[in-house]
Structures are given as C-alpha cells and as structure tokens.
Amino acid sequence: AGERAKRRIEEVRRLLGGGSHGQSLQQELAVALTPDNREHRQKIKEFLQSSDLFLPKYDLPLSSERELALHRLRAVCAMGALSVKDFRDNPQRIFAAHEEVGLCDGSLATKMTVQFNLFGGTVLRLGTEKHFGEGESFLRDIDSAGACGCFALTELGFGNNAVQMQTTAELDERTDEWVIHTPTTVAKKYWITNGACHSQWAVIFARMLVRGQDHGVHAFLCRIRDGAVGQPGQPLPEVGIEDMGHKMGCNGVDNGILSFHRLRVPRTALLDAFTQVDARGTVRSTIKKPRDRFLKVADQLLSGRVCIASMSLTATKCALLIAIRYSLTRLAVGSSGQSDTPIFDYQLQQKALLPLLARTYCLGFAHNYVKEELAKQMTGRAENADIVKLCCVIKPLISWNCENTATVCRERCGGQGYLSCNKLGHIIGFSHAAITAEGDNRVLMQKVAKELLARGSVDVPQVRAGADLTSLDTLLALLKARYATHQNALMGKLMVLQPSEVFETWMKRESDLVQATSEAYGEVFVLEQALATLAGKLASAQAKEVVSKIAALYALDCIRRDLAWYLCEGLVGRDQAADVQERVEGLCRDLVPSIPSLLNAFEIPALLVDTTPIAGDWVKFYERA
C-alpha cells in the first residue's frame, strides 16, 4: 500500500507538471486571473522562496510570532514589493503585493495592509508636504517600515458607527496644539493593528473641537511611542497601550487598545488636505458637512476592503490547491476493495470542491474589475459612480468564500486537514479576521443595499420556466431576475413608510430581504465579470471552453443554493430543478481533465507546496520517523 501511494504521488506530480499543451492553457488562465504587474508579482514570489525567513514556523510564543511578522514585513519592504507612493500612479501594484504576500503569511499581509494602505495611504491622501517630510523622507520611512504606523479609528463602543466616536482633539490656541483625549472607556481605540508593540506613529481619528464648536471627525498624525526610525521605543506618557493578547488566528499581528490622556500634538498634526485650521483658530474646509468630512477622511477603507479581498482570494486559492492535490494523491477504497482509488475520483469530493473552485475563479475575475476601476479613480484617470458599492460587495463575497472554502477543504482532507502544518486551520483563522475587518460583512451588505435603492426599481428579465439551463444567457437572466425581484420588493416595502418608520423596518423587520438583495446583486456582478472575461480576455478555444464551464458551474451553484425560491417564483420548473443538480454534477465531471491547468494557473510557488505535507509527498514526510 505504501509503494502504491508513492507511485500515485509521483503520477500526480508529473500530471501537475503538464505538457506544452497544458502549459499553454495554464498560462492563458493565469493571465486572465492576474493580468496586472505580472513581472513584479514574479519577483515577489521569487523573493519569498529565496529566504528561510518565510518558511512556516509553528508553536511559537506570542512575542516571537509577532517579531517574526515584523521581520518579514521589513524584508518585504526592503525588496521593494510596494510603496505607499504607488497610490499616486499604480495602485494595482499595491493590490498585487497583497495578493502575493498573502501566499506566505496572513499576519504579515495584515500588518502590511495597515502599514501601507490604512496608515501610509491615509497620510499620503489626507496629508500635505509638511507631513511627508523633507524630500518626502517620512514616506520613505513608511516604505521601509522604519516608521511603523497604525490606524486608530475604531472605538470600543463605536465600531460600525465610527462617525459618532467620542475621542476629541481640541485646539489650544495658547500653545498652538491639539489636545487629544479619550473621555470614556468606550472611547478607547480598539483592535488597532500594529498598536500593541510596533507602531511609533498613529493616524488618530477624533472629533475636532475649535472654540467649542464640533467640526466633525478628522485625522491627526501623532507620535505614540518615542522610538527612533526602526525602533518602537516606549509609549509616550500620555498614551495608554493595552495588549489584546492571543486570538483565534493571525497572532503575528499585535492588536492593541489605545487611549489618550490629554496628548498634546502640534497644530500641524492635522492631516489638512481638505480642512485647514490656522493659528487664530479659523477653520476652512472644502467639505461643508461634518458627516461628509468623516466619509472623506475614512475613504481609505475602500482600498482597504480591496486589499483584504486580495489577501483572502489568495488564501482561498491556497486552500483549494492543498485540498485538491491531497485528494488526487490520497488513495482509498475502490471497486476492488483495495486502497487503489484517489478520493478525488469520488463524486462526494468533486461536488464539494469543484463548485468552490469555479466560484473562486469567477470572484477573481470580478475582483480584477473592481481593482482596475478603483485604481482609475484613485489616480484621477476615470470616475465610477458604482465604486463604493463595488468595494463594499467584493470584500464580503470573497472573504465569505474564503472561510467556506477553507472549512470545506479542511473537512474533505480529514484529520490531515486539522494539522497546523497543512495550513488550512490558519486560513480559516485569517478568513474570520477578513470577514470582520474594514467593515463587518453584513454591515457592508446593508451599505450595498442602500446604494442599490438609489437606482430605483429594476426591470425583471422575462424568464420562462423550461428555459435552456445550458445557456449562459439564461443563467444570467435567472440571477438578474432574483436580484430585480428582491430589490423591487424592498423598495415597495420602504416607499409606503414615513421617514420615522424606515429604521424599524430596515433593521428589525426586513434584514433578510436587505441582505438577499445585496447578495443577489453581487452574484449578478460576479457572473457578468466572468462572462466579460470569457468574451474579451481569452484567445484560445480551449480556454474559452474551460471558463465557460466555470461560469456555468458558478451560476448553477448560485441557483442551486436558492432553488426553492426559483421554484416558488415559477422561474424554474419541477423538471428543471432536477436538471440543475444534474448539470452541476456533469460540469464537475467535465472540469476534472482541466484540473492541472486550473490549479497551476494560480501560480502558487513551489515553496508553499513543499512546506505543506499533504500538498506534496506526504508519505515521504511521515517517513522521517
């Protein structure tokens, strides 16, 4: 049995190596999945494989795990994986770095996204020359992580309602300083990444008070520790820092609780690209309403959601690669009664994993569109009125898929999936952080629904029961019909209400419909982007055939999840309902020959395979004893 397993592992190794024909398909799919900054991506992958620093390490003390994540971050910075200044001309380079670094370590990627997007990106976008340093020296210190920073927005009692935060920054005209203060326990800054150990700097969000008038939430660049460049140092006397301790995942991230006890900072600490305050206390702002000022200063959360989606998408690819490679090599009982059949041959395994593979591909195509549109907007090349909605929908869809995929992969790998060295547990822990960070997914979906309602009612496509389920046009029409029906129903319920009644209905009576509307919209958007990739970004007939099957499997899986609704609405007949299941099973079978190309197109470095026992030669791994 042992020799049979070894032979199978070698067969799969050769199979996944692919021939010239397979490599052509693999390359075309890879470019469709990650079309931007490809040379730079490859440099990052090669760097991650070149140093023992990035080898997996387990059972570390909490302090050691955090220092490892910091050392990894500085190494990634030193090789030039990204620069905060990329937001000026190539934001996609930053998103690409998040995707590639996410292959290595969720804690590293999380610290990186706070350092470069939330902290550095906010300084760059809201700050002015005085904040950048002479010759932009401070931006260079951010790029090296010598000036390590954090993003102090969330408060203990004000998470998703941060606009109501209690932290204040009051101007003392006598000393020309801001006095930053935490007035209550619930005003403490909470879940602050990089805050417990490593940050010398913080972008602190506080209510700006000038001569007793509240001008809304603004951002202030402040020292919180006294360390020189590259050294955290000690907390300032006016800054309280509490360590949040061990978590269910991402323990290389030093999350802290910050409080400020009349911390004095110069008047110039205000990040004043949009709002200026002079020495006489005169406030000038290009944004008139205090609430709109908050939305502007917190705008970096949009790119933060895209960064989290980037990391989550990569983690999902890793989970699928690990589980499918193991399934191809793990032999179990066959028709002969011998352990001679790969568990991937079982319908149970294929139906569990291949719809998730198709969903991940389609989400990748949709994510590419969001990244491209956001990059255009951030660099001033184009405006997209839907960008807020797109950023708010893509993060939940991808992070939910990450958690579900990692959980299913863990289960389908049996006891092997439960071992830390096989990485699936780490991906599950990271996925839960992604679900909550930069906006709780369910709250973001409420935001999507509000944005959608501004469009008014939506035409419902005419789809007759008995329509051809082999047609991608029919599948898209079915998803659109579900979205339009939900949106129109939600609008109908709200239009008859008095303004005072909206909150009660939205939050306490129709939350399921609110969520379903946003999710249905997201499913339509994802399928549309998969079809756009199919139509415009693939050259060969073979690649088009494979992606067509992927898109169809994704759409049918969406319909299968809500099949009762489609039956009740008369959009799918009883006979068609059985056809949905049969089509899913048939597409799973049809995609099996393309598995090598589909996995290899993820372009996951050999290091990850070699350091994950069940993704490689797991028999050899256990021969070590």
Side-chain angles (χ1 to χ4, degrees), residues 564-586:
W565 182 89
Y566 286 99
L567 280 164
C568 290
E569 292 292 319
L571 296 172
V572 170
R574 291 177 61 185
D575 292 339
Q576 279 185 304
D579 290 342
V580 169
Q581 185 64 34
E582 291 177 8
R583 282 279 293 151
V584 167
E585 294 170 358

Side-chain angles (χ1 to χ4, degrees), residues 131 178 208 218-220 266-272 275-277:
H131 302 108
W178 297 104
M208 190 176 79
H218 287 72
F220 301 81
R267 178 173 50 83
T268 55
L270 171 67
L271 295 174
D272 59 354
T275 300
Q276 301 82 39
V277 180

